Amino acid sequence: MTFYDDIYPFYPLPRTSFIFSTHLLTIILVFLVLTASFLLILPGIRGKSRLFWMFRIIISFFIGVVIVALNFTSDWAEARTTTNATYKSFSSEEVNAEVGLHVGLYGINITLRGNPVNQLNETINYNEMFEWRDTIDEEYEDALERGLPNPILYIAEKFTLNNPCGLIYQYRYSGRYASATLWTAFCCWMVANVLFSMPVILYAGYMMVATAAFIFFSMASFSTIMNLPTCLFTIGTSGAFQTEYSSSFWLALATGVLCLVIGILVVLLDCLIPEKIREAFSVGVDNDEDEDVYFGEGYLNSNFLASVTTTPLTTLVLPTDEIQKDSHQPSLQELSIAM
């Protein structure tokens, strides 16, 4: 152990290997807080509706967090191989390592992990990100200046603008269209949740079907990368390796199927048993209950009404015989003369 704990002044600090995406961590934490906040209302719900509301909240937020997180994952397609390859440029030293290519909607991750990790007096554990931007060539030049291992530079060069393979164009546009359709699916999901709280359950089911449709559109957009002419990646002695669909793609498929099933069930139940489906979602029930309430017979208290009712100020004209009976009241002629 040295005085500086193996960190020497005027030298770069040791690299920290990739652990977890901060974007994904932020998204998961936000949706977990929202889910916990909505679950706090469950003790105020009585009967069997409490269990239904719990499943409704959990499934709804699961769909939402998946749609948002899929925009920032880097494993829509993957390729892995274990090989012996030259480690650095202008050197004949080889290392045994696992090379990985992880394709996302906004870029690629290239991983290199030694087997074992410590070889040639160095820790071989890299995870480099290259995004689909106009500056991808600058990122590649920066990787050259940093002296990254040859397997990483070889794969990154395949995605530069001037490379004959032309992978950057199809991958970038496919990722952009897939991301745009996913954000549209997220908007449909929010509208569906609003409609589920209103007495229009049928349209909420339609919006869930629309959510599933846009998720499938994003998958179709990303799948166009598989129609590209084959551009082989040959690294070391392992031969060529190609990308295949990975976890994010299958997660998008499962979420789309879930949204489709929910939408179809809601539409069918609203057509077959509309009263029960509205009662389950606690919408449109209060009005029906108010109409069916029987308050019993009512009785009119005429004396009470007479005491609180005021007569309007109108001119009272009495017959002549009644005026003569009451000697204390002046006649109409006297009243007119007095006025």
Side-chain angles (χ1 to χ4, degrees), residues 267-302:
V267 172
L268 291 178
L269 292 177
D270 187 80
C271 295
L272 298 177
I273 47 175
E275 294 82 7
K276 292 186 178 180
I277 192 68
R278 284 172 174 77
E279 182 181 357
F281 284 92
S282 302
V283 293
V285 179
D286 296 338
N287 296 333
D288 297 336
E289 291 180 353
D290 293 342
E291 294 176 357
D292 297 336
V293 171
Y294 176 70
F295 295 100
E297 296 182 359
Y299 298 93
L300 182 63
N301 190 341
S302 58

PDB file of all heavy atoms in Angstrom, residues 267-302:
ATOM      1  N   VAL A 267     -63.097  -4.290 -23.941  1.00  0.00           N
ATOM      2  CA  VAL A 267     -64.093  -4.016 -24.988  1.00  0.00           C
ATOM      3  C   VAL A 267     -65.197  -5.069 -24.964  1.00  0.00           C
ATOM      4  O   VAL A 267     -66.395  -4.751 -25.036  1.00  0.00           O
ATOM      5  CB  VAL A 267     -63.412  -3.952 -26.366  1.00  0.00           C
ATOM      6  CG1 VAL A 267     -64.457  -3.871 -27.468  1.00  0.00           C
ATOM      7  CG2 VAL A 267     -62.478  -2.753 -26.444  1.00  0.00           C
ATOM      8  N   LEU A 268     -64.830  -6.348 -24.845  1.00  0.00           N
ATOM      9  CA  LEU A 268     -65.839  -7.417 -24.832  1.00  0.00           C
ATOM     10  C   LEU A 268     -66.729  -7.327 -23.598  1.00  0.00           C
ATOM     11  O   LEU A 268     -67.955  -7.457 -23.694  1.00  0.00           O
ATOM     12  CB  LEU A 268     -65.146  -8.777 -24.894  1.00  0.00           C
ATOM     13  CG  LEU A 268     -64.454  -9.130 -26.221  1.00  0.00           C
ATOM     14  CD1 LEU A 268     -63.773 -10.479 -26.113  1.00  0.00           C
ATOM     15  CD2 LEU A 268     -65.451  -9.124 -27.374  1.00  0.00           C
ATOM     16  N   LEU A 269     -66.127  -7.097 -22.420  1.00  0.00           N
ATOM     17  CA  LEU A 269     -66.923  -7.018 -21.202  1.00  0.00           C
ATOM     18  C   LEU A 269     -67.830  -5.797 -21.199  1.00  0.00           C
ATOM     19  O   LEU A 269     -68.942  -5.849 -20.673  1.00  0.00           O
ATOM     20  CB  LEU A 269     -65.999  -6.990 -19.979  1.00  0.00           C
ATOM     21  CG  LEU A 269     -65.220  -8.277 -19.699  1.00  0.00           C
ATOM     22  CD1 LEU A 269     -64.290  -8.087 -18.514  1.00  0.00           C
ATOM     23  CD2 LEU A 269     -66.181  -9.441 -19.444  1.00  0.00           C
ATOM     24  N   ASP A 270     -67.366  -4.698 -21.789  1.00  0.00           N
ATOM     25  CA  ASP A 270     -68.215  -3.509 -21.849  1.00  0.00           C
ATOM     26  C   ASP A 270     -69.409  -3.731 -22.772  1.00  0.00           C
ATOM     27  O   ASP A 270     -70.470  -3.146 -22.553  1.00  0.00           O
ATOM     28  CB  ASP A 270     -67.394  -2.304 -22.323  1.00  0.00           C
ATOM     29  CG  ASP A 270     -68.165  -1.009 -22.246  1.00  0.00           C
ATOM     30  OD1 ASP A 270     -68.265  -0.445 -21.145  1.00  0.00           O
ATOM     31  OD2 ASP A 270     -68.683  -0.562 -23.292  1.00  0.00           O
ATOM     32  N   CYS A 271     -69.250  -4.553 -23.774  1.00  0.00           N
ATOM     33  CA  CYS A 271     -70.371  -4.843 -24.678  1.00  0.00           C
ATOM     34  C   CYS A 271     -71.323  -5.875 -24.079  1.00  0.00           C
ATOM     35  O   CYS A 271     -72.539  -5.808 -24.327  1.00  0.00           O
ATOM     36  CB  CYS A 271     -69.846  -5.334 -26.021  1.00  0.00           C
ATOM     37  SG  CYS A 271     -68.894  -4.099 -26.945  1.00  0.00           S
ATOM     38  N   LEU A 272     -70.795  -6.832 -23.284  1.00  0.00           N
ATOM     39  CA  LEU A 272     -71.624  -7.904 -22.753  1.00  0.00           C
ATOM     40  C   LEU A 272     -72.259  -7.537 -21.418  1.00  0.00           C
ATOM     41  O   LEU A 272     -73.460  -7.722 -21.224  1.00  0.00           O
ATOM     42  CB  LEU A 272     -70.784  -9.184 -22.617  1.00  0.00           C
ATOM     43  CG  LEU A 272     -70.211  -9.751 -23.916  1.00  0.00           C
ATOM     44  CD1 LEU A 272     -69.335 -10.960 -23.628  1.00  0.00           C
ATOM     45  CD2 LEU A 272     -71.323 -10.126 -24.888  1.00  0.00           C
ATOM     46  N   ILE A 273     -71.464  -7.054 -20.504  1.00  0.00           N
ATOM     47  CA  ILE A 273     -71.968  -6.708 -19.161  1.00  0.00           C
ATOM     48  C   ILE A 273     -71.502  -5.300 -18.792  1.00  0.00           C
ATOM     49  O   ILE A 273     -70.600  -5.126 -17.969  1.00  0.00           O
ATOM     50  CB  ILE A 273     -71.496  -7.745 -18.116  1.00  0.00           C
ATOM     51  CG1 ILE A 273     -69.999  -8.034 -18.268  1.00  0.00           C
ATOM     52  CG2 ILE A 273     -72.306  -9.016 -18.194  1.00  0.00           C
ATOM     53  CD1 ILE A 273     -69.438  -8.949 -17.191  1.00  0.00           C
ATOM     54  N   PRO A 274     -72.072  -4.282 -19.409  1.00  0.00           N
ATOM     55  CA  PRO A 274     -71.590  -2.913 -19.161  1.00  0.00           C
ATOM     56  C   PRO A 274     -71.792  -2.456 -17.716  1.00  0.00           C
ATOM     57  O   PRO A 274     -70.957  -1.713 -17.181  1.00  0.00           O
ATOM     58  CB  PRO A 274     -72.420  -2.075 -20.138  1.00  0.00           C
ATOM     59  CG  PRO A 274     -73.619  -2.893 -20.437  1.00  0.00           C
ATOM     60  CD  PRO A 274     -73.183  -4.318 -20.367  1.00  0.00           C
ATOM     61  N   GLU A 275     -72.902  -2.892 -17.049  1.00  0.00           N
ATOM     62  CA  GLU A 275     -73.136  -2.432 -15.684  1.00  0.00           C
ATOM     63  C   GLU A 275     -72.081  -2.960 -14.726  1.00  0.00           C
ATOM     64  O   GLU A 275     -71.555  -2.226 -13.886  1.00  0.00           O
ATOM     65  CB  GLU A 275     -74.532  -2.876 -15.215  1.00  0.00           C
ATOM     66  CG  GLU A 275     -75.681  -2.228 -15.969  1.00  0.00           C
ATOM     67  CD  GLU A 275     -75.958  -2.937 -17.293  1.00  0.00           C
ATOM     68  OE1 GLU A 275     -75.337  -4.001 -17.522  1.00  0.00           O
ATOM     69  OE2 GLU A 275     -76.770  -2.429 -18.091  1.00  0.00           O
ATOM     70  N   LYS A 276     -71.749  -4.229 -14.854  1.00  0.00           N
ATOM     71  CA  LYS A 276     -70.771  -4.827 -13.939  1.00  0.00           C
ATOM     72  C   LYS A 276     -69.363  -4.283 -14.180  1.00  0.00           C
ATOM     73  O   LYS A 276     -68.607  -4.097 -13.221  1.00  0.00           O
ATOM     74  CB  LYS A 276     -70.787  -6.345 -14.098  1.00  0.00           C
ATOM     75  CG  LYS A 276     -72.072  -6.998 -13.605  1.00  0.00           C
ATOM     76  CD  LYS A 276     -71.976  -8.507 -13.662  1.00  0.00           C
ATOM     77  CE  LYS A 276     -73.254  -9.147 -13.117  1.00  0.00           C
ATOM     78  NZ  LYS A 276     -73.177 -10.634 -13.158  1.00  0.00           N
ATOM     79  N   ILE A 277     -69.006  -4.032 -15.431  1.00  0.00           N
ATOM     80  CA  ILE A 277     -67.667  -3.515 -15.693  1.00  0.00           C
ATOM     81  C   ILE A 277     -67.528  -2.093 -15.168  1.00  0.00           C
ATOM     82  O   ILE A 277     -66.477  -1.692 -14.662  1.00  0.00           O
ATOM     83  CB  ILE A 277     -67.345  -3.591 -17.206  1.00  0.00           C
ATOM     84  CG1 ILE A 277     -65.851  -3.327 -17.445  1.00  0.00           C
ATOM     85  CG2 ILE A 277     -68.185  -2.615 -18.004  1.00  0.00           C
ATOM     86  CD1 ILE A 277     -64.944  -4.385 -16.926  1.00  0.00           C
ATOM     87  N   ARG A 278     -68.612  -1.311 -15.220  1.00  0.00           N
ATOM     88  CA  ARG A 278     -68.564   0.043 -14.644  1.00  0.00           C
ATOM     89  C   ARG A 278     -68.524  -0.005 -13.124  1.00  0.00           C
ATOM     90  O   ARG A 278     -67.871   0.826 -12.488  1.00  0.00           O
ATOM     91  CB  ARG A 278     -69.766   0.858 -15.119  1.00  0.00           C
ATOM     92  CG  ARG A 278     -69.634   1.343 -16.556  1.00  0.00           C
ATOM     93  CD  ARG A 278     -70.911   1.978 -17.060  1.00  0.00           C
ATOM     94  NE  ARG A 278     -70.730   2.572 -18.381  1.00  0.00           N
ATOM     95  CZ  ARG A 278     -70.681   1.904 -19.506  1.00  0.00           C
ATOM     96  NH1 ARG A 278     -70.805   0.588 -19.483  1.00  0.00           N
ATOM     97  NH2 ARG A 278     -70.506   2.523 -20.662  1.00  0.00           N
ATOM     98  N   GLU A 279     -69.217  -0.978 -12.566  1.00  0.00           N
ATOM     99  CA  GLU A 279     -69.169  -1.131 -11.112  1.00  0.00           C
ATOM    100  C   GLU A 279     -67.783  -1.561 -10.653  1.00  0.00           C
ATOM    101  O   GLU A 279     -67.293  -1.134  -9.599  1.00  0.00           O
ATOM    102  CB  GLU A 279     -70.214  -2.149 -10.674  1.00  0.00           C
ATOM    103  CG  GLU A 279     -70.281  -2.352  -9.169  1.00  0.00           C
ATOM    104  CD  GLU A 279     -71.328  -3.387  -8.777  1.00  0.00           C
ATOM    105  OE1 GLU A 279     -72.023  -3.877  -9.700  1.00  0.00           O
ATOM    106  OE2 GLU A 279     -71.441  -3.687  -7.583  1.00  0.00           O
ATOM    107  N   ALA A 280     -67.106  -2.412 -11.455  1.00  0.00           N
ATOM    108  CA  ALA A 280     -65.763  -2.852 -11.092  1.00  0.00           C
ATOM    109  C   ALA A 280     -64.773  -1.708 -11.116  1.00  0.00           C
ATOM    110  O   ALA A 280     -63.872  -1.632 -10.264  1.00  0.00           O
ATOM    111  CB  ALA A 280     -65.310  -3.969 -12.039  1.00  0.00           C
ATOM    112  N   PHE A 281     -64.928  -0.797 -12.069  1.00  0.00           N
ATOM    113  CA  PHE A 281     -64.033   0.350 -12.161  1.00  0.00           C
ATOM    114  C   PHE A 281     -64.539   1.556 -11.366  1.00  0.00           C
ATOM    115  O   PHE A 281     -63.934   2.622 -11.431  1.00  0.00           O
ATOM    116  CB  PHE A 281     -63.828   0.750 -13.625  1.00  0.00           C
ATOM    117  CG  PHE A 281     -62.898  -0.152 -14.379  1.00  0.00           C
ATOM    118  CD1 PHE A 281     -63.381  -1.236 -15.086  1.00  0.00           C
ATOM    119  CD2 PHE A 281     -61.528   0.080 -14.361  1.00  0.00           C
ATOM    120  CE1 PHE A 281     -62.527  -2.072 -15.784  1.00  0.00           C
ATOM    121  CE2 PHE A 281     -60.667  -0.747 -15.050  1.00  0.00           C
ATOM    122  CZ  PHE A 281     -61.161  -1.831 -15.760  1.00  0.00           C
ATOM    123  N   SER A 282     -65.644   1.378 -10.646  1.00  0.00           N
ATOM    124  CA  SER A 282     -66.194   2.425  -9.767  1.00  0.00           C
ATOM    125  C   SER A 282     -66.509   3.700 -10.535  1.00  0.00           C
ATOM    126  O   SER A 282     -66.239   4.814 -10.064  1.00  0.00           O
ATOM    127  CB  SER A 282     -65.213   2.735  -8.623  1.00  0.00           C
ATOM    128  OG  SER A 282     -64.940   1.572  -7.876  1.00  0.00           O
ATOM    129  N   VAL A 283     -67.080   3.550 -11.702  1.00  0.00           N
ATOM    130  CA  VAL A 283     -67.486   4.710 -12.493  1.00  0.00           C
ATOM    131  C   VAL A 283     -68.931   4.512 -12.918  1.00  0.00           C
ATOM    132  O   VAL A 283     -69.367   3.392 -13.189  1.00  0.00           O
ATOM    133  CB  VAL A 283     -66.593   4.902 -13.747  1.00  0.00           C
ATOM    134  CG1 VAL A 283     -65.191   5.265 -13.355  1.00  0.00           C
ATOM    135  CG2 VAL A 283     -66.610   3.658 -14.625  1.00  0.00           C
ATOM    136  N   GLY A 284     -69.704   5.621 -12.949  1.00  0.00           N
ATOM    137  CA  GLY A 284     -71.090   5.567 -13.388  1.00  0.00           C
ATOM    138  C   GLY A 284     -72.007   4.838 -12.444  1.00  0.00           C
ATOM    139  O   GLY A 284     -73.089   4.415 -12.829  1.00  0.00           O
ATOM    140  N   VAL A 285     -71.578   4.659 -11.164  1.00  0.00           N
ATOM    141  CA  VAL A 285     -72.393   3.931 -10.201  1.00  0.00           C
ATOM    142  C   VAL A 285     -73.228   4.867  -9.352  1.00  0.00           C
ATOM    143  O   VAL A 285     -74.347   4.577  -8.986  1.00  0.00           O
ATOM    144  CB  VAL A 285     -71.501   3.051  -9.298  1.00  0.00           C
ATOM    145  CG1 VAL A 285     -72.339   2.315  -8.279  1.00  0.00           C
ATOM    146  CG2 VAL A 285     -70.714   2.073 -10.156  1.00  0.00           C
ATOM    147  N   ASP A 286     -72.720   6.033  -9.019  1.00  0.00           N
ATOM    148  CA  ASP A 286     -73.412   6.954  -8.121  1.00  0.00           C
ATOM    149  C   ASP A 286     -74.727   7.428  -8.706  1.00  0.00           C
ATOM    150  O   ASP A 286     -75.731   7.532  -8.016  1.00  0.00           O
ATOM    151  CB  ASP A 286     -72.517   8.161  -7.808  1.00  0.00           C
ATOM    152  CG  ASP A 286     -71.269   7.735  -7.051  1.00  0.00           C
ATOM    153  OD1 ASP A 286     -71.311   6.657  -6.436  1.00  0.00           O
ATOM    154  OD2 ASP A 286     -70.264   8.477  -7.088  1.00  0.00           O
ATOM    155  N   ASN A 287     -74.759   7.738 -10.002  1.00  0.00           N
ATOM    156  CA  ASN A 287     -75.982   8.225 -10.627  1.00  0.00           C
ATOM    157  C   ASN A 287     -77.089   7.182 -10.606  1.00  0.00           C
ATOM    158  O   ASN A 287     -78.248   7.477 -10.355  1.00  0.00           O
ATOM    159  CB  ASN A 287     -75.705   8.664 -12.068  1.00  0.00           C
ATOM    160  CG  ASN A 287     -74.750   9.847 -12.124  1.00  0.00           C
ATOM    161  OD1 ASN A 287     -74.687  10.628 -11.180  1.00  0.00           O
ATOM    162  ND2 ASN A 287     -74.022   9.969 -13.222  1.00  0.00           N
ATOM    163  N   ASP A 288     -76.711   5.928 -10.875  1.00  0.00           N
ATOM    164  CA  ASP A 288     -77.709   4.869 -10.866  1.00  0.00           C
ATOM    165  C   ASP A 288     -78.259   4.646  -9.463  1.00  0.00           C
ATOM    166  O   ASP A 288     -79.449   4.394  -9.270  1.00  0.00           O
ATOM    167  CB  ASP A 288     -77.107   3.570 -11.410  1.00  0.00           C
ATOM    168  CG  ASP A 288     -76.679   3.732 -12.865  1.00  0.00           C
ATOM    169  OD1 ASP A 288     -77.235   4.614 -13.521  1.00  0.00           O
ATOM    170  OD2 ASP A 288     -75.800   2.959 -13.302  1.00  0.00           O
ATOM    171  N   GLU A 289     -77.393   4.722  -8.449  1.00  0.00           N
ATOM    172  CA  GLU A 289     -77.842   4.536  -7.090  1.00  0.00           C
ATOM    173  C   GLU A 289     -78.795   5.648  -6.667  1.00  0.00           C
ATOM    174  O   GLU A 289     -79.762   5.435  -5.962  1.00  0.00           O
ATOM    175  CB  GLU A 289     -76.649   4.458  -6.147  1.00  0.00           C
ATOM    176  CG  GLU A 289     -75.821   3.187  -6.331  1.00  0.00           C
ATOM    177  CD  GLU A 289     -74.651   3.156  -5.375  1.00  0.00           C
ATOM    178  OE1 GLU A 289     -74.441   4.183  -4.687  1.00  0.00           O
ATOM    179  OE2 GLU A 289     -73.971   2.124  -5.309  1.00  0.00           O
ATOM    180  N   ASP A 290     -78.505   6.895  -7.089  1.00  0.00           N
ATOM    181  CA  ASP A 290     -79.367   8.006  -6.730  1.00  0.00           C
ATOM    182  C   ASP A 290     -80.751   7.876  -7.343  1.00  0.00           C
ATOM    183  O   ASP A 290     -81.751   8.266  -6.743  1.00  0.00           O
ATOM    184  CB  ASP A 290     -78.724   9.331  -7.181  1.00  0.00           C
ATOM    185  CG  ASP A 290     -77.455   9.623  -6.396  1.00  0.00           C
ATOM    186  OD1 ASP A 290     -77.285   9.010  -5.317  1.00  0.00           O
ATOM    187  OD2 ASP A 290     -76.639  10.437  -6.879  1.00  0.00           O
ATOM    188  N   GLU A 291     -80.804   7.306  -8.546  1.00  0.00           N
ATOM    189  CA  GLU A 291     -82.102   7.159  -9.192  1.00  0.00           C
ATOM    190  C   GLU A 291     -82.940   6.068  -8.550  1.00  0.00           C
ATOM    191  O   GLU A 291     -84.164   6.112  -8.564  1.00  0.00           O
ATOM    192  CB  GLU A 291     -81.910   6.860 -10.682  1.00  0.00           C
ATOM    193  CG  GLU A 291     -81.281   8.023 -11.447  1.00  0.00           C
ATOM    194  CD  GLU A 291     -81.025   7.657 -12.891  1.00  0.00           C
ATOM    195  OE1 GLU A 291     -81.294   6.484 -13.240  1.00  0.00           O
ATOM    196  OE2 GLU A 291     -80.552   8.515 -13.656  1.00  0.00           O
ATOM    197  N   ASP A 292     -82.312   5.066  -7.951  1.00  0.00           N
ATOM    198  CA  ASP A 292     -83.052   3.952  -7.373  1.00  0.00           C
ATOM    199  C   ASP A 292     -83.403   4.159  -5.904  1.00  0.00           C
ATOM    200  O   ASP A 292     -84.063   3.307  -5.300  1.00  0.00           O
ATOM    201  CB  ASP A 292     -82.224   2.657  -7.512  1.00  0.00           C
ATOM    202  CG  ASP A 292     -82.008   2.303  -8.977  1.00  0.00           C
ATOM    203  OD1 ASP A 292     -82.822   2.745  -9.806  1.00  0.00           O
ATOM    204  OD2 ASP A 292     -81.020   1.587  -9.269  1.00  0.00           O
ATOM    205  N   VAL A 293     -82.985   5.228  -5.290  1.00  0.00           N
ATOM    206  CA  VAL A 293     -83.246   5.437  -3.867  1.00  0.00           C
ATOM    207  C   VAL A 293     -84.723   5.781  -3.666  1.00  0.00           C
ATOM    208  O   VAL A 293     -85.279   6.643  -4.369  1.00  0.00           O
ATOM    209  CB  VAL A 293     -82.336   6.561  -3.311  1.00  0.00           C
ATOM    210  CG1 VAL A 293     -82.761   6.913  -1.892  1.00  0.00           C
ATOM    211  CG2 VAL A 293     -80.892   6.102  -3.341  1.00  0.00           C
ATOM    212  N   TYR A 294     -85.392   5.140  -2.666  1.00  0.00           N
ATOM    213  CA  TYR A 294     -86.804   5.390  -2.350  1.00  0.00           C
ATOM    214  C   TYR A 294     -86.874   6.100  -1.004  1.00  0.00           C
ATOM    215  O   TYR A 294     -86.375   5.590   0.010  1.00  0.00           O
ATOM    216  CB  TYR A 294     -87.570   4.070  -2.300  1.00  0.00           C
ATOM    217  CG  TYR A 294     -89.020   4.233  -1.888  1.00  0.00           C
ATOM    218  CD1 TYR A 294     -89.928   4.848  -2.741  1.00  0.00           C
ATOM    219  CD2 TYR A 294     -89.460   3.785  -0.645  1.00  0.00           C
ATOM    220  CE1 TYR A 294     -91.263   5.009  -2.369  1.00  0.00           C
ATOM    221  CE2 TYR A 294     -90.781   3.933  -0.271  1.00  0.00           C
ATOM    222  CZ  TYR A 294     -91.674   4.552  -1.142  1.00  0.00           C
ATOM    223  OH  TYR A 294     -92.980   4.708  -0.780  1.00  0.00           O
ATOM    224  N   PHE A 295     -87.407   7.268  -0.990  1.00  0.00           N
ATOM    225  CA  PHE A 295     -87.445   8.080   0.218  1.00  0.00           C
ATOM    226  C   PHE A 295     -88.751   7.919   1.001  1.00  0.00           C
ATOM    227  O   PHE A 295     -88.944   8.560   2.029  1.00  0.00           O
ATOM    228  CB  PHE A 295     -87.275   9.563  -0.133  1.00  0.00           C
ATOM    229  CG  PHE A 295     -85.927   9.873  -0.708  1.00  0.00           C
ATOM    230  CD1 PHE A 295     -85.755  10.004  -2.076  1.00  0.00           C
ATOM    231  CD2 PHE A 295     -84.825  10.010   0.117  1.00  0.00           C
ATOM    232  CE1 PHE A 295     -84.517  10.285  -2.604  1.00  0.00           C
ATOM    233  CE2 PHE A 295     -83.588  10.296  -0.399  1.00  0.00           C
ATOM    234  CZ  PHE A 295     -83.422  10.434  -1.761  1.00  0.00           C
ATOM    235  N   GLY A 296     -89.706   7.114   0.558  1.00  0.00           N
ATOM    236  CA  GLY A 296     -90.959   6.919   1.262  1.00  0.00           C
ATOM    237  C   GLY A 296     -91.972   8.021   0.966  1.00  0.00           C
ATOM    238  O   GLY A 296     -91.779   8.865   0.098  1.00  0.00           O
ATOM    239  N   GLU A 297     -93.121   7.992   1.714  1.00  0.00           N
ATOM    240  CA  GLU A 297     -94.183   8.969   1.507  1.00  0.00           C
ATOM    241  C   GLU A 297     -93.846  10.273   2.221  1.00  0.00           C
ATOM    242  O   GLU A 297     -93.218  10.280   3.274  1.00  0.00           O
ATOM    243  CB  GLU A 297     -95.510   8.419   2.022  1.00  0.00           C
ATOM    244  CG  GLU A 297     -95.977   7.183   1.253  1.00  0.00           C
ATOM    245  CD  GLU A 297     -97.312   6.694   1.764  1.00  0.00           C
ATOM    246  OE1 GLU A 297     -97.834   7.324   2.721  1.00  0.00           O
ATOM    247  OE2 GLU A 297     -97.816   5.707   1.209  1.00  0.00           O
ATOM    248  N   GLY A 298     -94.312  11.385   1.645  1.00  0.00           N
ATOM    249  CA  GLY A 298     -94.101  12.683   2.253  1.00  0.00           C
ATOM    250  C   GLY A 298     -95.408  13.312   2.684  1.00  0.00           C
ATOM    251  O   GLY A 298     -96.470  13.072   2.093  1.00  0.00           O
ATOM    252  N   TYR A 299     -95.381  14.126   3.752  1.00  0.00           N
ATOM    253  CA  TYR A 299     -96.555  14.794   4.293  1.00  0.00           C
ATOM    254  C   TYR A 299     -96.316  16.293   4.301  1.00  0.00           C
ATOM    255  O   TYR A 299     -95.215  16.758   4.631  1.00  0.00           O
ATOM    256  CB  TYR A 299     -96.852  14.303   5.712  1.00  0.00           C
ATOM    257  CG  TYR A 299     -97.158  12.830   5.785  1.00  0.00           C
ATOM    258  CD1 TYR A 299     -96.143  11.902   6.050  1.00  0.00           C
ATOM    259  CD2 TYR A 299     -98.455  12.351   5.576  1.00  0.00           C
ATOM    260  CE1 TYR A 299     -96.408  10.549   6.108  1.00  0.00           C
ATOM    261  CE2 TYR A 299     -98.725  10.991   5.624  1.00  0.00           C
ATOM    262  CZ  TYR A 299     -97.704  10.107   5.893  1.00  0.00           C
ATOM    263  OH  TYR A 299     -97.979   8.766   5.941  1.00  0.00           O
ATOM    264  N   LEU A 300     -97.374  17.041   3.963  1.00  0.00           N
ATOM    265  CA  LEU A 300     -97.296  18.492   3.855  1.00  0.00           C
ATOM    266  C   LEU A 300     -97.923  19.120   5.086  1.00  0.00           C
ATOM    267  O   LEU A 300     -99.097  18.872   5.415  1.00  0.00           O
ATOM    268  CB  LEU A 300     -98.017  18.973   2.595  1.00  0.00           C
ATOM    269  CG  LEU A 300     -97.976  20.474   2.324  1.00  0.00           C
ATOM    270  CD1 LEU A 300     -96.542  20.925   2.108  1.00  0.00           C
ATOM    271  CD2 LEU A 300     -98.835  20.825   1.113  1.00  0.00           C
ATOM    272  N   ASN A 301     -97.151  19.928   5.793  1.00  0.00           N
ATOM    273  CA  ASN A 301     -97.623  20.649   6.977  1.00  0.00           C
ATOM    274  C   ASN A 301     -98.117  22.010   6.519  1.00  0.00           C
ATOM    275  O   ASN A 301     -97.347  22.940   6.303  1.00  0.00           O
ATOM    276  CB  ASN A 301     -96.495  20.784   7.992  1.00  0.00           C
ATOM    277  CG  ASN A 301     -96.990  21.304   9.321  1.00  0.00           C
ATOM    278  OD1 ASN A 301     -98.073  21.887   9.420  1.00  0.00           O
ATOM    279  ND2 ASN A 301     -96.179  21.086  10.365  1.00  0.00           N
ATOM    280  N   SER A 302     -99.452  22.144   6.365  1.00  0.00           N
ATOM    281  CA  SER A 302    -100.023  23.384   5.841  1.00  0.00           C
ATOM    282  C   SER A 302     -99.899  24.536   6.824  1.00  0.00           C
ATOM    283  O   SER A 302     -99.713  25.690   6.424  1.00  0.00           O
ATOM    284  CB  SER A 302    -101.494  23.151   5.477  1.00  0.00           C
ATOM    285  OG  SER A 302    -102.199  22.711   6.631  1.00  0.00           O
TER     286      SER A 302
END
